[in-house]
């Protein structure tokens, strides 16, 4: 099959230039972020609030609704609206700060990412804007009033959509070429009466001139021409024009701080950042520049939208500044780009025949692409403060990330969620790349390469975790992601990118060494590592020193590292096929894996194992200051993670790597103590394969028995992070009369660990579920159909590992599908989302899901790792068509 036009564009160049120079790279929230925090004590949420944001010029990024920018964030475009009821214009998305929300920060808006191609040649999103006054105060008051045991109070809970008194505003972009972008905004009035709406397409420059640096003293300019054009002049990007069809007027101010409003300091500019807002609300011309010049400008459209009808406005942002009829070819171009988008997805979704699943998958892909963001952060410069500040800068008593002064980031990165998490998170990003690789392999590979570059990675080899604390410890999943992206790219293009694999491998070596040197406390190949992305899953905050002293050796930390060694082994073997010297690295990781496997069985030669024979499960081991040791018997994802450490080597590969094969045979012959750690190495599996795993057949069956037990880990919607067993029997640890408890909680967090805005004590998380599915499929590829298990446990149904794996994947996908009652589990309790024709086909991709009923929880636009549902839909069609019966034996 020939590549689609969009696929050809993707391969035109590997970087974020050309057709990808302009994209949805604006954040949805720059206020309340670490980068914008210049407070003394690190009060990021309080330094710039939502109320301050319209008046304060940002230092490191910009935000807006449905916006786009160039790939370095110099020129920005977004939409603002006014419903003629609110006291401020809707210029950015509103939400609660971390301290305000009963489960941490939480966006309080309704918006959906509906479509996008990888080059953003076509994009579409929907914003739902109430016609009644937006309930800002009520949302804040109710969020503060509720405790952690209560659900979050959402915008829909206010009843503001009940009578359909709102606008559906569709924002669409279509590129004519790399620097010529057509913009269409269509506002539908869903109410029974006509309603006024002011639309404000807004163009501005990121402020680089106010901070006192001589090299950035140049200030670009926007200039109005009649009511139809805004001319852009920027020395780095050149000249552009925003053509505005039938605008009522053009409004200009400066993207500069209103110091008088915020700090009581006289303004340096007559027309500050909030000038357009103030003019729209008050009608007073003094707030905007009558000369139609500035660094921020809006085209004002005031329209009365008839009941049940819509109005459309059109704009064009182009480097061609001499278009005599800018809208003559507008509709044909839009139609052609949409046709190309459909063509691209028809090829990508070739295997998927279910119309409902095609919609879910395409919107998941759209969310992945809309969640790109220009991420800018020079830590050294940020710590010092700028030569010129809009308020006095008193330095910092708390120097966040002070050990990361080398970091200088200015890249397009995939965000977890551009409102709740508008900063990269290293382990999230690894999962993003899998779904992105199917859309745009070069972008996915670039994401992994960037995060490992010397201006990100610490000189000691640590990968930066996330903005609030770069020094925290994330699971080492980047080697796994690298291999998966390599495989996807190879399968799509018929040839593997060895140069990419080798480049990333060298950086991963540095990180692997950091793990060995820093997180193996006792030097016995058993690892700690902090919270490892699992936030509050344990009885203690694993990122902090233990309250009683001592340390924990973690089943998950050690499982992650065993997985890491096998990932590096597999990558080494692949590179060695064309660069034979890498056989030495393959040997190194083969032996390192054996040492970890041995250590998990016998910690430090003391006969202590992370595997508990009584419970047939893996647990963390607590070592106290008095040299005592004990298992922390919490049945959690921690004990399932050793399943991730699995790899298969086949005889045909070994024959091509003779030096590696000889070393393997030498170790197995001369180190029987290590050879005994390998599951059935001398018993070839299906197709003369050999299994490397922490688990022998019996232990794996015991783990799967517990994992597939619906009274423990198996939910109707995937694998829970904590066994349901702990609902009636919480784990308790008594420390000097104080009880530390871990209880099964299927929904939001009941503790304040990590801000209380996520929970690993019961809900279903896509990343670890995906890893389980990937690992189980490897076990099946070794054992084949002869290795049978019971699924679900105690059901009497016996099947292969593959059949059970497919059924787990189907449970995860079913979170988004309509059930036999026509309801989508993710939206339990929200009839509006289920039945309303203007809601029911729109999908939100939540951070995690209720362990019992599948309801969406946490950040509601975390398409990042929950976007893996797109891969799982493809997986289902590759391994078993939907609705086919599983041929299970019955005991």
């Amino acid at each position: 099959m020939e590549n689609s036009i969009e696929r050809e564009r993707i391969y035109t160049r590997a970087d974020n230039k050309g057709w990808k120079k302009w994209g949805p790279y604006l954040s949805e929230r720059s206020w309340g972020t670490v980068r914008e925090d210049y407070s003394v004590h690190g009060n990021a949420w309080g330094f710039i609030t939502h109320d301050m944001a319209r008046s304060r010029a940002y230092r490191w990024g910009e935000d807006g609704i449905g916006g786009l920018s160039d790939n370095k964030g110099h020129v920005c475009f977004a939409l603002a609206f006014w419903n003629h009821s609110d006291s401020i214009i809707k210029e950015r998305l509103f939400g609660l700060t971390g301290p305000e929300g009963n489960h941490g920060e939480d966006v309080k808006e309704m918006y959906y990412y509906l479509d996008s191609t990888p080059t953003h040649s076509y994009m579409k999103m929907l914003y739902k804007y109430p016609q009644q006054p937006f309930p800002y105060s009520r949302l804040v008051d109710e969020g503060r009033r509720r405790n952690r045991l209560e659900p979050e109070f959402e915008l829909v809970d206010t009843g503001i959509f009940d009578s359909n008194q709102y606008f559906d505003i569709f924002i669409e972009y279509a590129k004519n070429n790399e620097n010529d972008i057509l913009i269409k905004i269509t506002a539908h009035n869903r109410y029974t009466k006509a309603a006024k709406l002011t639309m404000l397409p807004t163009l501005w420059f990121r402020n680089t001139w106010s901070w006192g640096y001589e090299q950035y003293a140049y200030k670009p300019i926007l200039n109005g021409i009649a009511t139809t054009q805004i001319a852009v002049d920027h020395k780095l990007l050149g000249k552009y024009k925003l053509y505005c069809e039938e605008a009522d007027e053009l409004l200009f101010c400066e993207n500069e701080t209103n110091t008088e409003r915020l700090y009581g300091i006289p303004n340096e500019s007559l027309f500050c950042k909030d000038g357009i807002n103030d003019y729209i609300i008050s009608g007073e011309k003094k707030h905007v520049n009558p000369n139609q010049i500035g660094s921020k400008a809006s085209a004002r459209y005031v329209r009365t939208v008839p009941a049940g009808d819509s109005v459309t406005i059109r704009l064009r942002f182009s480097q061609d500044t001499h278009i005599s009829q800018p809208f003559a070819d507008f509709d044909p171009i839009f139609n052609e780009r949409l046709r190309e988008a459909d063509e691209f997805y028809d090829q990508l979704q070739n295997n998927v025949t279910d119309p409902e699943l095609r919609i879910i998958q395409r919107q998941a892909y759209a969310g992945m692409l809309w969640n790109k963001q220009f991420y800018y952060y020079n830590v050294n410069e940020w710590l010092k403060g700028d030569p010129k500040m809009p308020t006095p800068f008193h330095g910092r008593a708390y120097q966040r990330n002070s050990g990361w002064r080398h970091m200088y980031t200015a890249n397009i990165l995939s965000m977890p969620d551009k409102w709740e998490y508008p900063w990269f998170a290293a382990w999230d990003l690894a999962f993003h790349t899998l779904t992105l690789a199917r859309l745009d392999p070069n972008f996915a590979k670039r994401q992994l390469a960037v995060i490992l570059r010397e201006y990100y990675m610490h000189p000691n080899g640590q990968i930066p975790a996330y903005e609030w604390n770069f020094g925290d410890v994330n699971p080492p999943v980047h080697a796994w992601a690298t291999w998966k992206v390599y495989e996807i790219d190879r399968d799509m293009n018929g040839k593997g990118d060895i140069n990419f694999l080798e480049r990333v491998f060298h950086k991963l070596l540095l990180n692997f060494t950091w793990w060995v040197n820093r997180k193996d406390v006792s030097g016995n190949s058993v690892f700690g590592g902090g919270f490892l992305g699992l936030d509050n899953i344990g009885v203690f905050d694993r990122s902090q020193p233990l309250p009683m002293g001592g340390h924990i050796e973690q089943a998950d930390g050690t499982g992650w590292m065993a997985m890491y060694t096998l990932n590096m082994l597999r990558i080494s073997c692949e590179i060695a096929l064309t660069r034979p010297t890498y056989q030495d690295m393959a040997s190194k990781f083969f032996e390192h894996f054996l040492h970890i496997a041995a250590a998990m069985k016998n910690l430090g030669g003391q006969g202590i194992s992370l595997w508990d024979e009584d419970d047939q499960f893996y647990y963390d081991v607590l070592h106290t200051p008095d040299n005592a040791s004990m298992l922390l018997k919490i049945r959690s994802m921690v004990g399932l993670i050793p399943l991730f450490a699995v790899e298969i080597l086949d005889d045909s590969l070994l024959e091509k790597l003779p030096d590696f094969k000889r070393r393997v045979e030498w170790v197995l012959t001369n180190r029987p103590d290590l050879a005994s750690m390998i599951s059935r190495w001398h018993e070839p599996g299906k197709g003369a394969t050999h299994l490397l795993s922490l688990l022998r057949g019996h232990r794996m069956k015991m783990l799967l028995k517990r994992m597939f037990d619906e009274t423990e880990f198996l939910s109707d919607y995937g694998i829970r992070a904590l066994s349901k067993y702990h609902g009636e029997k919480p784990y308790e640890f008594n420390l000097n009369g104080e009880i530390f408890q871990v209880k099964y909680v299927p929904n939001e967090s009941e503790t304040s660990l990590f801000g209380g805005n996520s929970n690993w004590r019961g809900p279903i998380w896509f990343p670890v579920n995906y890893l389980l599915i990937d690992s189980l499929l490897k076990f099946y590829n070794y054992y084949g159909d002869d290795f049978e298990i019971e699924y679900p446990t105690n059901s009497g149904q016996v099947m292969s590992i593959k059949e059970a794996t497919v059924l787990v994947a189907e449970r995860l996908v079913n979170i988004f599908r309509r059930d036999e009652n026509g309801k989508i589990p993710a939206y339990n309790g929200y009839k509006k989302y289920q039945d309303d024709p203007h809601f029911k086909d729109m999908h939100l991709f939540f951070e995690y899901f209720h362990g019992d009923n599948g309801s969406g929880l946490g950040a509601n636009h975390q398409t990042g790792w929950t976007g893996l549902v797109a891969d799982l839909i493809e997986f289902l069609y590759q391994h078993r068509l939907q609705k086919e019966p599983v041929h299970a034996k019955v005991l």
Side-chain angles (χ1 to χ4, degrees):
M1 183 185 296
E2 290 186 6
N3 280 338
S4 64
I5 293 172
E6 175 64 14
R7 182 68 64 184
E8 291 294 336
R9 286 194 196 108
I10 292 167
Y11 290 115
T12 301
R13 56 191 306 163
D15 56 17
N16 292 312
K17 298 179 181 178
W19 274 85
K20 287 186 279 189
K21 176 181 177 181
W22 297 91
Y25 307 144
L26 276 184
S27 176
E28 277 153 6
R29 179 176 60 82
S30 283
W31 60 273
T33 61
V34 166
R35 279 163 293 151
E36 297 298 334
D37 175 21
Y38 284 84
S39 66
V40 175
H41 299 290
N43 179 22
W45 286 114
F47 189 73
I48 302 180
T49 64
H50 177 270
D51 181 63
M52 297 168 68
R54 68 179 181 273
S55 305
R56 165 85 184 215
Y58 296 129
R59 172 64 175 85
W60 297 98
E62 294 291 340
D63 57 21
I65 298 173
L68 56 76
S69 76
D70 65 277
N71 58 8
K72 294 299 178 183
H74 290 296
V75 177
C76 307
F77 174 89
L79 283 303
F81 309 102
W82 186 46
N83 58 11
H84 294 254
S85 298
D86 286 338
S87 59
I88 58 172
I89 64 174
K90 179 65 69 172
E91 199 170 4
R92 56 187 49 79
L93 299 175
F94 173 73
L96 304 187
T97 67
E100 288 172 339
N102 59 323
H103 296 114
E105 62 265 36
D106 187 19
V107 66
K108 299 299 184 184
E109 302 272 10
M110 288 302 305
Y111 58 104
Y112 301 88
Y113 303 124
L114 299 180
D115 211 355
S116 181
T117 59
T119 66
H120 312 295
S121 58
Y122 177 76
M123 297 194 297
K124 183 178 184 179
M125 75 163 285
L126 167 63
Y127 176 65
K128 290 180 177 286
Y129 186 33
Q131 295 171 15
Q132 302 171 57
F134 196 88
Y136 292 106
S137 297
R138 187 179 175 198
L139 289 164
V140 173
D141 292 344
E142 188 66 22
R144 285 174 170 165
R145 186 193 66 78
R146 294 192 177 195
N147 61 40
R148 295 194 183 282
L149 301 181
E150 296 176 281
E152 294 171 358
F153 185 68
E154 305 295 356
L155 181 60
V156 70
D157 294 324
T158 68
I160 204 161
F161 295 113
D162 289 354
S163 62
N164 295 323
Q165 193 176 355
Y166 69 92
F167 298 106
D168 266 341
I169 304 174
F170 291 91
I171 302 165
E172 294 178 87
Y173 298 93
K175 293 181 182 178
N176 182 41
N177 57 47
E178 297 174 3
N179 294 295
D180 188 4
I181 305 168
L182 283 60
I183 306 160
K184 180 164 60 175
I185 300 101
T186 305
H188 294 261
N189 181 0
R190 302 302 186 194
Y191 195 46
T192 56
K193 297 180 181 178
K196 265 190 174 182
L197 175 66
T198 293
M199 292 176 276
L200 296 157
T202 303
L203 193 65
W204 73 99
F205 300 116
R206 175 165 58 86
N207 190 323
T208 57
W209 58 87
S210 291
W211 315 115
Y213 296 97
E214 185 176 342
Q215 65 269 38
Y216 301 123
Y218 161 80
K219 182 178 178 180
I221 190 168
L222 300 171
N223 191 12
I225 303 172
T227 61
T228 59
Q229 298 177 33
I230 300 174
V232 178
D233 190 352
H234 193 286
K235 73 174 182 180
L236 295 178
L237 294 176
K239 296 181 183 295
Y240 287 79
K241 278 186 180 177
L242 178 67
Y243 298 93
C244 310
E245 186 181 46
E246 298 179 350
D248 298 331
E249 61 180 328
L250 303 181
L251 308 171
F252 290 78
C253 63
E254 302 293 344
N255 185 20
E256 295 179 4
T257 299
N258 185 340
T259 56
E260 186 172 334
R261 174 181 179 250
L262 296 181
Y263 311 113
I265 300 172
N267 287 318
E268 293 186 8
S269 172
L270 291 175
F271 312 104
C272 300
K273 180 181 177 180
D274 51 14
I276 294 171
N277 171 87
D278 293 350
Y279 168 65
I280 294 296
I281 300 301
S282 71
E284 296 181 11
K285 285 280 190 179
K286 66 179 182 179
H287 299 293
V288 292
N289 192 330
N291 296 317
Q292 291 199 322
I293 58 173
S295 50
K296 177 181 177 182
S298 294
R300 184 189 191 193
Y301 293 82
V302 182
R303 300 290 185 265
T304 298
V305 189
D309 208 342
S310 66
V311 298
T312 297
I313 64 173
R314 305 191 301 179
L315 304 100
R316 186 168 189 165
F317 180 73
S318 180
Q319 200 170 42
D320 185 349
T321 59
H322 303 288
I323 304 176
S324 58
Q325 296 183 347
F327 299 99
D329 55 355
F330 190 97
D331 290 338
I333 293 170
F334 244 97
N335 293 336
E336 181 64 12
R337 293 298 169 264
L338 180 55
R339 186 197 65 78
E340 291 167 0
D342 289 340
E343 176 190 49
F344 172 79
Y345 281 109
D346 282 344
Q347 287 190 6
L348 189 64
Q349 298 181 297
N350 182 54
N351 291 328
V352 182
T353 58
D354 185 320
E356 182 185 21
L357 291 181
R358 287 174 69 90
I359 291 172
I360 295 167
Q361 189 181 52
R362 186 156 171 175
Q363 288 187 29
Y365 284 139
M368 295 296 307
L369 295 168
W370 272 91
N371 266 335
K372 294 180 182 180
Q373 181 183 314
F374 172 65
Y375 185 83
Y376 181 37
Y377 192 11
N378 178 337
V379 177
N380 184 53
E381 202 168 83
W382 176 80
L383 284 167
K384 290 189 300 183
D386 298 310
K388 186 178 179 182
M389 301 289 289
T391 58
F393 178 52
H394 303 291
R396 291 184 170 87
Y398 174 57
Q399 291 197 324
R400 192 187 302 276
N401 294 323
S402 58
W404 293 79
R405 289 181 180 270
H406 70 285
M407 277 194 69
Y408 191 137
T409 68
N411 302 98
I412 303 299
L413 296 176
S414 177
M415 297 292 114
D417 176 313
K418 288 201 297 187
W419 196 95
E420 296 209 17
Y421 306 113
W423 27 261
F424 78 90
W427 92 293
D428 298 55
L429 186 64
F431 294 101
H432 302 184
T433 60
L434 271 66
T435 307
L436 288 167
R438 296 193 184 278
L439 294 161
D440 184 352
N442 285 329
F443 182 75
K445 290 185 286 186
R446 189 176 178 86
Q447 293 293 284
L448 289 166
V450 163
I451 202 74
L452 296 169
R453 285 180 180 172
E454 56 277 5
Y455 46 88
Y456 280 71
M457 181 185 281
H458 198 281
N460 65 19
Q462 185 178 9
I463 297 173
Y466 50 89
E467 187 173 275
W468 290 82
N469 183 5
F470 286 133
D472 218 331
V473 185
N474 283 167
V477 291
H478 298 83
W480 171 79
T482 297
W483 177 251
K484 294 293 291 184
V485 168
Y486 173 83
E487 284 188 308
I488 293 167
D489 184 35
R490 182 187 61 193
D491 294 345
M492 291 177 66
N493 297 298
K495 183 180 179 182
D497 187 348
I498 291 293
N499 290 333
F500 156 73
L501 208 57
E502 185 178 29
R503 178 187 182 191
V504 173
F505 179 81
H506 282 282
K507 296 300 181 70
L508 290 170
L509 274 177
L510 298 175
N511 179 245
F512 186 89
T513 302
W514 175 84
W515 271 93
V516 172
N517 290 338
R518 296 295 184 94
K519 296 302 174 182
D520 178 5
V521 174
S522 303
N524 61 7
S525 293
V526 177
F527 293 82
F531 85 107
L532 289 175
L534 303 187
D535 294 16
N536 56 25
I537 200 165
V539 67
F540 305 113
D541 184 342
R542 300 190 303 178
S543 287
Q544 302 298 325
L546 296 176
M548 79 293 289
H551 68 280
I552 294 176
E553 290 178 311
Q554 297 171 214
D556 55 334
T558 308
W560 287 122
M561 281 303 289
M563 170 184 159
Y564 201 170
T565 59
L566 293 180
N567 299 149
M568 294 294 276
L569 165 62
R570 190 65 191 86
I571 293 171
S572 301
C573 288
E574 186 74 6
I575 301 173
L577 293 173
T578 52
R579 296 156 171 74
T581 54
Y582 279 81
Q583 291 178 84
D584 290 343
M585 297 309 301
S587 299
K588 176 259 186 300
F589 285 109
F590 173 76
E591 293 186 41
H592 205 126
F593 169 75
L594 296 183
H595 285 290
I596 292 175
M600 287 188 75
K601 184 178 180 181
N602 183 10
L603 300 186
Q606 301 174 36
I608 303 168
S609 174
L610 296 180
W611 175 263
D612 182 61
E613 285 293 342
D614 293 335
D615 288 358
Q616 299 286 291
F617 202 71
Y618 282 107
Y619 296 119
D620 288 348
V621 171
L622 170 65
H623 297 281
T624 60
D626 59 1
N627 294 321
S629 300
M630 63 177 295
L631 292 171
L632 299 175
K633 291 194 174 186
I634 305 170
R635 298 180 192 174
S636 75
M637 186 60 66
V638 166
L640 300 179
I641 284 172
L643 282 167
F644 300 166
V646 54
E647 191 53 71
I648 298 170
L649 299 178
D650 60 62
D651 285 343
S652 63
L653 177 65
L654 292 171
E655 291 302 322
K656 296 172 184 176
L657 304 173
D659 292 344
F660 173 55
K661 182 181 179 183
R662 280 194 297 271
R663 182 62 185 172
V664 167
E665 291 172 346
W666 186 94
V667 171
L668 297 179
T669 300
N670 293 279
R671 289 295 305 273
D673 57 323
L674 296 181
S676 66
M677 297 298 109
I678 304 177
S679 298
R680 298 172 58 178
W681 178 267
H682 293 292
E683 301 174 41
K686 185 177 63 177
T689 59
H690 302 278
L691 181 70
L692 290 170
S693 169
L694 292 175
L695 303 166
R696 297 180 183 280
H698 169 72
R699 286 191 179 180
M700 188 181 72
K701 282 196 172 184
M702 291 299 99
L703 274 191
L704 295 186
K705 181 179 180 180
R706 198 177 292 284
M707 187 170 80
F708 292 149
D709 188 336
E710 292 178 310
T711 68
E712 292 219 36
F713 286 99
L714 183 62
S715 162
D716 288 342
Y717 306 101
I719 306 299
R720 303 175 175 106
L722 185 72
S723 171
K724 198 171 182 179
Y725 166 84
H726 290 303
E728 294 183 359
K729 297 182 179 180
Y731 177 83
E732 294 185 346
F733 186 92
N734 189 322
L735 178 62
N736 300 323
E738 182 179 0
I739 301 297
F740 293 81
Q741 185 184 84
V742 174
K743 181 182 179 180
Y744 172 73
V745 180
N747 49 349
E748 297 282 12
S749 175
E750 295 181 356
T751 81
S752 60
L753 292 184
F754 293 90
N757 61 349
S758 67
N759 186 22
W760 287 81
R761 296 184 173 184
I764 293 148
W765 294 76
F766 263 73
V768 285
N769 271 264
Y770 189 94
L771 277 164
L772 285 168
I773 288 168
D774 186 58
S775 301
L776 290 176
L777 201 59
K778 289 181 182 178
F779 280 112
Y780 169 76
N781 289 337
Y782 174 73
Y783 286 113
D785 291 323
D786 294 336
F787 190 98
E788 294 182 319
I789 58 173
E790 187 181 18
Y791 177 94
T793 301
N794 299 321
S795 69
Q797 293 188 111
V798 176
M799 61 187 71
S800 70
I801 298 173
K802 177 181 176 180
E803 288 173 311
T805 303
V806 169
L807 290 174
V808 172
E810 190 169 63
R811 290 186 183 218
L812 289 157
V813 171
N814 284 345
I815 290 171
F816 300 95
R817 299 182 74 182
R818 295 193 178 277
D819 60 20
E820 62 275 10
N821 298 314
K823 304 301 181 185
I824 298 174
Y827 310 124
N828 278 319
Y830 289 105
K831 182 176 174 60
K832 191 80 171 174
Y833 297 168
Q834 303 280 11
D835 304 327
D836 190 292
H838 303 302
F839 281 81
K840 67 184 184 67
D841 293 323
M842 311 295 177
H843 292 282
L844 297 173
F845 298 90
F846 294 86
E847 188 177 359
Y848 49 100
F849 300 86
H850 193 287
D852 294 338
N853 63 35
S855 297
L857 301 170
N860 56 20
H861 286 81
Q862 186 128 348
T863 320
W865 61 24
T866 303
L868 288 166
V869 68
D871 264 44
L872 292 179
I873 290 170
E874 178 68 22
F875 171 84
L876 289 179
Y877 274 89
Q878 287 179 1
H879 293 280
R880 182 174 66 83
L881 291 178
Q882 298 300 297
K883 306 305 180 185
E884 282 187 3
V886 172
H887 302 293
K889 297 178 182 178
V890 179
L891 289 174

